[in-house]
Every structure is written in structure tokens, then in C-alpha cells.
């Protein structure tokens, strides 16, 4: 028997989604404004979803410079709550269709997991570094800006339909159809994917901010039914749905045993350098014909694994990994421009940096970056400099 969602259950699901959307952003004014009238806002969202009258509000469009220049469309907070609702309903379904070496926007399969998997692939293919091994890195030009939304919708609907009656676990009598209102999920899928981010969007900043931005990395000049807004949780989920076709092609058709992907950055590990290069034209043709995407030939590289491979902010070498120079330079730049009067922001940012560096042998680097007078005036660190204690002007929210 198919699951029948009630209005009360939908309201509770929206509250859970609100808590997810609020996480780490409780100090933001837009979150506080929404929470000030939480019951009324969630009830309004519940009613619009129930009646199928929900329409996303116009996004804010702006340019960020770090870690690299890119265009961002930021949804309003009410719409982020809906994105988390949709993610909570569907992410487990879609993840069942992904290969094991898809890393982005999947619980327990983030950047550090991806780095570890690359190291595992290199070690296995090289037989413990006893024979030469090569890593080919692949990149897609302007990926998010060139996703065909109608094609993505067809893929998502096809996956949802196939998974609808599948058992949740082996031997379990329940199916996804017994736990999710598929009428709501399929309707929301269409509403979220087919949304044109350019429609009535609010430009934040100056038009001059777009000067120098690669035309392939903006949706403002040429849309034509393409592009997902960078930053939305649903965009991260759907980016994996879209490139799942490439993952299956690489594993099933190209027989790439040691392959992995994080968003649009993919790698292949092999001891046969020439055979690995020979699949590039096939991958390029597949991306063009099936997904309408272009392989970035300028970023294609094939390197000996013994010399090190940079991936997801790490530099992987035999039996060890380091924080990459690019990652360290970004941290140094961010530290230089920190507002030391904002204790909350400093506390969160520094502990984020320390969380990344703690995965590597970086004690001396942590000392040089953080044992400075500008930090020690307001806060202290634990003995091995992996956690910054709350500064005196930290505000609990």
C-alpha cells in the first residue's frame, strides 16, 4: 500500500528540514528573521506544498573570488528549507544508483573519503608501488552551467520510477513507496529542476564583478534551458544524478576498474598509460552525445603516481598525503583578511581549517599559521593545535 502523507506529517518533515538548513547558520540575520515567525512560515510552506502552489522566490546572484572566481545563485532561506526537505526524502534513493566511487554530497563519502579512495586505487593498481602506475585526471568545462535541465529531469524521473518499488534492505518487506509520498516528490522534482535561476534574480554587487569571468561559467548571458545554480543543496544532489551516466559508462563500458569522481573532477588509475589515453576520445564523444557536455582538454593530465597527485586539496604520494600548496595558500589568504573582531566567524573558520589540516602531518604548519599574536590575544588552542577554544567574544546562538 502506497504511503499517504498527512498535513501534520508534512509540517513535521518541514521542521526537520528547517533544522538542517539552519545548521551552522544560526547567527545569520535571514535565519533569525525566518525563525522569529517559524510556525507561520512553516505552515505557509506546508500549505503551498500541499496545494501544489509552491513557487521558489527569486534568487540572489553574485560573484565570489575565492577559492576561484565563480558565479553563485543563492536561494532564499524558505527555499533552502524546501531543498532540505527534498534531499531528506530522496537522497537515499538516488544514492542506490551511484557507484561506490562517487564522493560528493553523500554522507560519509566526502573529500577525505575521496582522497583515501584515490590512494587505495593507486596502491592496488601498482601492487603496493612495485610497478609504475599513472593517474589521469578529467575535468568538464563549465559543468554546472551546461547541465541540460530537461535531460536531467528525464534521468531523475526514470531513476525514481525504477526505485519506487525496490525493497529498502534485503529481506525487508518495506519499499520506498511505503515511506515516501511519490506524488509530492515527483512534483517537487519537476519544480526544482526546471526552475530558471535567471528569472527575476536580484544582482548583488556591480556588473563589473562579472568582468574577466569565463563565459562558460555564467548562466546570465546564455541559458537556453541549461544550468543549475551553484550553492543549492539540490544542485549538488542532481549533479551526481546527471553524471551517474558517465560513471556507469566508465565502469561498465570502458572497464575502468580504478575510477572515481567528485562532482566534475574525475580520475582513472592504470598501469597501462597508452590504453588509458586511448579512452579519452570515447569519453569526449560520450559526454557530448549523451549529456551535452564538453571535456576540458586543457585540464586533462596523465602523471606518474610516484611523483604525486593533487586531488581535493590534498597531494597524494606513495604511503602518505599532504595538504596541497593551493589549499595552504587559500588558508593563508583567508587568515590574512579575517575580521578579528568577529569572534564567532574566527572561531568557526579557524576550526574548519584545523579540521582539514588535522588529517595530515602538519604540526609545524599549524604552529606557523595559528600561533600568532592576532589569534592568541583572543583565544587558545589545545596542546597539538587541532582545536581552537572559544574566544572571549564568542556569541552563542
Amino acid at each position: 500500500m502506497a504511503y499517504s502523507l498527512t498535513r501534520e506529517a508534512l509540517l513535521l518533515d518541514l521542521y526537520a528540514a528547517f533544522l538542517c538548513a539552519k545548521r551552522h547558520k544560526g547567527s545569520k540575520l535571514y535565519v533569525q528573521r525566518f525563525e522569529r515567525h517559524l510556525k507561520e512560515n512553516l505552515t505557509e510552506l506546508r500549505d503551498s506544498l500541499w496545494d501544489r502552489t509552491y513557487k521558489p522566490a527569486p534568487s540572489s546572484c553574485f560573484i565570489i573570488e575565492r577559492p576561484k572566481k565563480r558565479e553563485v545563485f543563492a536561494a532564499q532561506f524558505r527555499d533552502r528549507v524546501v531543498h532540505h526537505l527534498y534531499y531528506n526524502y530522496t537522497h537515499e534513493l538516488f544514492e542506490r544508483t551511484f557507484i561506490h566511487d562517487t564522493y560528493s554530497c553523500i554522507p560519509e563519502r566526502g573529500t577525505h573519503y575521496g582522497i583515501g579512495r584515490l590512494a587505495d586505487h593507486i596502491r592496488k593498481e601498482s601492487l603496493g608501488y612495485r610497478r609504475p602506475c599513472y593517474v589521469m585526471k578529467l575535468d568538464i568545462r563549465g559543468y554546472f552551467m551546461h547541465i541540460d535541465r530537461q535531460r536531467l529531469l528525464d534521468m531523475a524521473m526514470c531513476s525514481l520510477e525504477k526505485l519506487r518499488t525496490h525493497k529498502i534492505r534485503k529481506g525487508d518487506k518495506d519499499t520506498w513507496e511505503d515511506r515516501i509520498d511519490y506524488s509530492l516528490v515527483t512534483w517537487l522534482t519537476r519544480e526544482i529542476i526546471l526552475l530558471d535561476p535567471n528569472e527575476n534574480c536580484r544582482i548583488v554587487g556591480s556588473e563589473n564583478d562579472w568582468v574577466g569571468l569565463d563565459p562558460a561559467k555564467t548562466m546570465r548571458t546564455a541559458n537556453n534551458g541549461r544550468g543549475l545554480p551553484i550553492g543549492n543543496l539540490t544542485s549538488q544532489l542532481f549533479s551526481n544524478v546527471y553524471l551517474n551516466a558517465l560513471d556507469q559508462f566508465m565502469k561498465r563500458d570502458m572497464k575502468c576498474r580504478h575510477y572515481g569522481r567528485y562532482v566534475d573532477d574525475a580520475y582513472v588509475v592504470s598501469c597501462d598509460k597508452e590504453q588509458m589515453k586511448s579512452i579519452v576520445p570515447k569519453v569526449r564523444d560520450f559526454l557530448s552525445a549523451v549529456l551535452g557536455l564538453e571535456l576540458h582538454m586543457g585540464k586533462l593530465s596523465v602523471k606518474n603516481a610516484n611523483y604525486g597527485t593533487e586531488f581535493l586539496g590534498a597531494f597524494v604520494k606513495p604511503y602518505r598525503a599532504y595538504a596541497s600548496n593551493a589549499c595552504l595558500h587559500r588558508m593563508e589568504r583567508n587568515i590574512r583578511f579575517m575580521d578579528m573582531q568577529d569572534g564567532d566567524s574566527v572561531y568557526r573558520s579557524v576550526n574548519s581549517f584545523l579540521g582539514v589540516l588535522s588529517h595530515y602531518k602538519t604540526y609545524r604548519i599549524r604552529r606557523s599559521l595559528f600561533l600568532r599574536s592576532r589569534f592568541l590575544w583572543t583565544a587558545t588552542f589545545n596542546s597539538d593545535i587541532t582545536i581552537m577554544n572559544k574566544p572571549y567574544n564568542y556569541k552563542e546562538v
Side-chain angles (χ1 to χ4, degrees), residues 39-54:
K39 183 177 180 181
E40 294 85 348
N41 288 329
L42 292 184
T43 301
E44 182 272 328
L45 267 182
R46 187 271 311 273
D47 293 342
S48 64
L49 291 170
W50 186 266
D51 299 333
R52 306 295 192 265
T53 58
Y54 164 79

Side-chain angles (χ1 to χ4, degrees), residues 11-232:
L11 186 62
L12 290 174
D13 291 342
L14 277 168
Y15 179 68
F18 160 75
L19 294 178
C20 293
K22 176 188 173 183
R23 190 175 299 138
H24 307 308
K25 295 181 175 62
S27 61
K28 302 292 185 181
L29 290 178
Y30 59 80
V31 177
Q32 295 174 4
R33 284 196 296 267
F34 188 92
E35 192 170 15
R36 198 171 297 134
H37 304 284
L38 182 60
K39 183 177 180 181
E40 294 85 348
N41 288 329
L42 292 184
T43 301
E44 182 272 328
L45 267 182
R46 187 271 311 273
D47 293 342
S48 64
L49 291 170
W50 186 266
D51 299 333
R52 306 295 192 265
T53 58
Y54 164 79
K55 292 295 180 184
S59 300
S60 299
C61 181
F62 54 91
I63 294 292
I64 61 172
E65 299 288 344
R66 297 191 295 269
K68 59 183 177 181
K69 191 167 188 174
R70 64 176 56 179
E71 177 185 80
V72 175
F73 283 82
Q76 294 193 21
F77 186 71
R78 68 184 287 273
D79 299 317
R80 298 185 202 180
V81 173
V82 176
H83 294 165
H84 277 274
L85 176 77
Y86 182 85
Y87 178 84
N88 292 342
Y89 281 160
T90 63
H91 77 95
E92 290 186 29
L93 282 82
F94 287 124
E95 286 163 15
R96 289 172 66 90
T97 69
F98 300 159
I99 65 171
H100 186 66
D101 282 290
T102 300
Y103 310 125
S104 171
C105 197
I106 301 175
E108 308 300 326
R109 283 155 65 179
T111 55
H112 297 296
Y113 181 84
I115 294 165
R117 286 293 294 170
L118 170 60
D120 289 342
H121 284 305
I122 293 173
R123 186 168 57 252
K124 291 177 181 177
E125 180 66 9
S126 64
L127 300 180
Y129 300 101
R130 292 197 299 270
R131 63 179 182 179
C133 179
Y134 303 91
V135 179
M136 179 170 69
K137 294 177 66 178
L138 307 168
D139 188 85
I140 297 172
R141 183 185 296 276
Y143 173 51
F144 277 93
M145 309 304 169
H146 292 87
I147 293 175
D148 186 315
R149 293 198 290 271
Q150 183 58 55
R151 200 175 323 202
L152 169 61
L153 178 63
D154 295 340
M155 291 177 172
M157 290 296 196
C158 181
S159 294
L160 289 172
E161 183 59 32
K162 288 181 179 179
L163 289 165
R164 186 175 59 168
T165 57
H166 281 205
K167 295 292 188 292
I168 293 175
R169 291 185 299 272
K170 186 175 181 180
D172 197 330
K173 295 181 179 179
D174 286 351
T175 65
W176 294 111
E177 197 172 29
D178 299 322
R179 298 193 179 188
I180 293 177
D181 187 325
Y182 265 80
S183 171
L184 174 62
V185 165
T186 53
W187 175 77
L188 261 182
T189 302
R190 185 179 301 277
E191 290 296 316
I192 294 173
I193 290 179
L194 295 184
L195 171 70
D196 181 359
N198 284 310
E199 188 174 344
N200 301 320
C201 75
R202 183 173 67 92
I203 304 300
V204 179
S206 167
E207 290 288 345
N208 293 330
D209 295 341
W210 274 259
V211 175
L213 182 67
D214 186 345
K217 295 187 177 182
T218 176
M219 288 191 288
R220 294 185 60 211
T221 54
N223 193 347
N224 300 322
R226 289 179 175 267
L228 290 181
I230 293 177
N232 287 354

Side-chain angles (χ1 to χ4, degrees), residues 358-395:
S358 65
H359 288 268
Y360 314 104
K361 294 181 178 180
T362 55
Y363 179 75
R364 292 184 179 180
I365 293 174
R366 298 197 298 273
R367 280 183 58 89
S368 66
L369 285 176
F370 300 110
L371 291 191
R372 302 177 178 182
S373 59
R374 65 192 317 232
F375 291 116
L376 297 180
W377 276 113
T378 60
T380 58
F381 298 83
N382 64 347
S383 59
D384 55 355
I385 320 176
T386 56
I387 298 175
M388 179 185 187
N389 300 318
K390 292 180 181 178
Y392 69 86
N393 57 347
Y394 180 80
K395 297 178 181 179

Side-chain angles (χ1 to χ4, degrees), residues 212-309:
L213 182 67
D214 186 345
K217 295 187 177 182
T218 176
M219 288 191 288
R220 294 185 60 211
T221 54
N223 193 347
N224 300 322
R226 289 179 175 267
L228 290 181
I230 293 177
N232 287 354
L233 177 64
T234 50
S235 296
Q236 299 175 49
L237 175 64
F238 289 135
S239 72
N240 279 335
V241 174
Y242 200 68
L243 279 187
N244 186 44
L246 172 65
D247 298 339
Q248 302 298 334
F249 174 76
M250 297 296 287
K251 297 291 282 187
R252 317 303 172 198
D253 297 342
M254 294 295 96
K255 308 297 183 184
C256 295
R257 181 183 176 191
H258 300 292
Y259 163 85
R261 178 182 60 80
Y262 186 96
V263 193
D264 59 337
D265 293 324
Y267 65 80
V268 179
V269 180
S270 176
C271 289
D272 191 337
K273 187 176 182 180
E274 296 307 315
Q275 189 277 335
M276 191 162 53
K277 287 182 178 180
S278 71
I279 71 172
V280 172
K282 299 176 183 177
V283 174
R284 185 176 55 203
D285 292 344
F286 176 86
L287 286 172
S288 177
V290 178
L291 299 176
L293 299 173
E294 180 184 354
L295 189 64
H296 199 319
M297 299 304 293
K299 291 186 177 181
L300 178 72
S301 66
V302 180
K303 296 182 179 179
N304 190 313
N306 286 333
Y307 299 152
T309 304

